Amino acid sequence: MPYVIVIVVLAVVIFVISGPLRAAYRPAEPAGGSTFAELDAAREAKYAEIREAELDHRTGKLSDEDYEDVDRGLRAEAIEILRSLDETGTATIADE
Amino acid sequence: MAIVGRTLLILALLVAIYGLGASLWGARHGREWVDSSRRAMYTLFGLALFAFVILDVAFISSNFSYNIVASSSSTTTPTFYRAAAIWATQQGSLLLWVLLLSMWSSLALFLTRRRVREIVPYAQAVMFGFCVFFVGLNTIFANPFATSSNPPSEGAGLDPLLRHTTMMIHPPMLYSGYTLLTIPFAFAIGALIARRLGAEWIQVTRRFALAAWLCLGVGIVLGARWSYTELGWGGYWAWDPVENAALMPWLCVTAYIHSIMIQEKRGMLKVWNASLILMTGTLSIVGTFLVRSGILSSIHAFVSDPTLNVSFVVLIATMVAGSIYLVVTRRDGLRSEARLDSLVSREAVFLFQNLLLVALTAVIFWVTFFPLISEAITGTQVSVGPPAFRPFVVPLALVIVALSGVGPIIAWRRVTISKLRRGFAFPVAFALAIMVGLLALSDADRHVFAFLMFVFGSFVVAAVVQEFFRGVRARRAMTGEPPPVALVALVRRNRRRYGGYIVHAGIAVALIGVAASTSFQHSRYATLAPGQSARIDGYTIRYVRPTAGASAQKISFGAVLAVFKGGHHVTTVQTTYGLYPSSDPTLGPIGRFFNGSDESRIGLDSGFTHDIWTVIDPSLQPLQGLINQGDAKLTAALNAVAKQPPATQPQALNVLYTLRDQAVAALTRRFVTHPWPATFLLIVSPLVTWLWLGAIICVIGGLIALLTAPVARARRRARVRALETPGPATAPAPPVRELV
């Protein structure tokens, strides 16, 4: 009995691990590549920062002047990231 | 099934080696190898789980053919503890390590299967590296499936000190913390190798760091609770090397959780964050090494094993050297993208707090390892205790607590003086009110550090309350929701921020409890006969009556104590001292029942303002003469039986064993029928409950911060869907006008 269990386990292990190596397997590739993903992460972080600044302002930690200044800067940084994302997307089209 | 378990471990080792090779190969030669390697991690988890189940079934069914079952369990050990006895052994606990390591690694690889693709192969290789190491140790040097062809009929039993409810959870929580820390460590290495040094690797591993913080924290507190209620010395933290081994990575990961926010938001502190998590990951392995090596004297450590020690030293040296090499060679990519706008900003507070936390870790590391350092230099191992830590730890802890109140008050990037004044007004006023109240109504100022901790802790709690109040008010102004609805919505939408604030409040509450209970504790020893009393801190504790019990598992001697204050009855507590029979035959057939492993059950009355803590230490000297007589008579009888024909021996032995059990029970009962004075340790500690309460608050805050906000979850799913869909047209960046 122990040997049967071991053989079954071994077969399952080999079957599972070798799946991606079999001919029919096609790994999905993300669009835009890793630069795109990195920019996408940066964009999300920037959006979060904009929301945080807004919350700081609403809860009285940032004065109106400071908030306007900070918010303007953050949005400018976000726009830069969005432009880079646009360019990365365009570059991907050109590559294809 | 032992052969199956052993084969599973060998198979797991082969799978781990394959996974390591396939990850590295796949990084350059094809995604399918990386995917195959990821599946290898899933199967490794399955194999470890199967092996663990086989071993645990052996423990539960008291299968003493397994050597570790015979050495750490017995039929008289309750099933509850038998199931947990697996991690009371070096071999079993290593298997638990492997199980948790493969489980968290599988989860991390599953969650990142479509993300950080350039980093994952190397991170995966690092995870498999750890798996090869630990499965290798388990397979080659610490085999849990070793069996005996001539198993004993009864096991040695579980160490009495480990028969405690928290011991079911404490080790798995600590191991979860340690193994979870390997995930951000592995991704940091992967990011450095792949030179993808943005915030993406931090975003995908942030939750693992937070989960590690939570698990380590829970493990540390459960260990403290065990120490307080089981070890019979009246404290919860002894600065033991193994306790410190868990505290150091916890402090570092606390710093990391804060500093990564600055990298995510500002692209700053990249070198710091990479170095910090590499140090934290290494400290988690150092902690594991301390537990397993026994190189430093600790009640919590396993017996020293030179083979394991050498292996761990090699692993730690490799981690340190590799980390330094990668950070140095990637320093160009780790340059900050921005500078601090102002020294009065949340970033600056986080940075200062980070430096203090790392300094605290360095101090604890130095003092913990000082005995080894002194031995290396002078040849003599110097022992250090709590007094060596306090002069450094207490002042640093005070400043860190104060900063945990400052951080929530001030904004990111910059703040004006008027806003600063407004933000600090209420918390400072509250802290000052507490200070004046303490000075007027108590003698708290006779312990300066404790007094300051009360004031700073009050400041933190007030700051957090103020933040919630302001947040709710802002939300109500926007939505008009009733306060409770606005509060829930506020926290749901900003879990990271408000979960963190709750944790800050919890830490403050816990440290107030620590300061009060260590500085204002009253303790004394008293030797009392039944009916006698002792006074402590205004309480009168009367020894009402003795108790005694004898079972197949253990004998126990106890006392019922009544506590009075000002003539009024406050509470009644019961404490017992238990003895488990020794298997050493030289102690005598009866004497071994009175000289085995011992345990103490404390008599505790916990309250919001103070704990009344008692433990009995009954001298067994008055019984020694009778025990010696019984040993002599029973030994003579056993010798006589040994000379009888073999056929009649079992029956005669049964009679003798019954008589022996009756004698042991009668001797134990003498503590009640002919009571003699017993020694008690009596302690009255203020605010101990605040420590446990603070820990619970921290766990609640940590869980809130760990869970994803519904809005963020939906947004992330949409992003992953967009990234998965081929072609840039379906993975668009939001239009620029979105933010204009």
Side-chain angles (χ1 to χ4, degrees), chain B residues 472-495:
Chain B
V472 169
R473 193 177 56 186
R475 181 152 182 94
R476 291 192 69 207
M478 276 192 328
T479 63
E481 294 165 340
V485 177
L487 176 66
V488 172
L490 180 76
V491 176
R492 267 170 65 88
R493 292 180 68 86
N494 302 280
R495 289 177 194 240

Side-chain angles (χ1 to χ4, degrees), chain B residues 12 97 125 135 278 332 361 373 471 512 549 553 622 628 711:
Chain B
W97 227 97
V135 181
L278 295 177
D332 287 343
T361 307
I373 296 164
I512 287 172
Q553 200 183 340
N628 291 343
V711 179

Side-chain angles (χ1 to χ4, degrees), chain A residues 16-17 25 28 31 34 36 40-41 43-44 46-47 49 51-52 56 58 60-61 66 69 74 78 93, chain B residues 35-36 39 117-118 203 265 408-409 412-414 416 419 467 478 497 715 719 723 728 731 734 738:
Chain A
V16 172
I17 293 178
Y25 184 78
S34 55
F36 186 92
D40 190 57
R43 181 193 61 175
E44 277 306 306
K46 198 54 67 183
Y47 282 5
E49 204 178 346
R51 285 193 295 271
E52 291 255 324
D56 279 347
R58 284 185 186 281
K61 290 197 199 76
D66 276 348
D69 197 25
L74 288 173
I93 293 171
Chain B
D35 290 352
S36 167
R39 290 187 179 203
R117 293 202 158 208
E118 293 181 2
Q203 286 177 356
K265 290 178 193 305
I409 293 173
W412 291 102
R413 293 196 178 230
R414 73 187 66 170
T416 50
K419 292 288 174 189
E467 282 312 300
M478 276 192 328
R497 175 184 284 220
R715 200 183 308 125
R719 283 171 58 210
L723 288 169
E738 187 180 320

Side-chain angles (χ1 to χ4, degrees), chain B residues 33 49 131 133 135 180 190 198 219 245 349 368 427 515 527 529 562 596 603 619 695:
Chain B
W33 288 97
L49 182 62
C131 290
F133 179 82
V135 181
L180 278 162
V349 173
T368 302
T527 300
S619 166

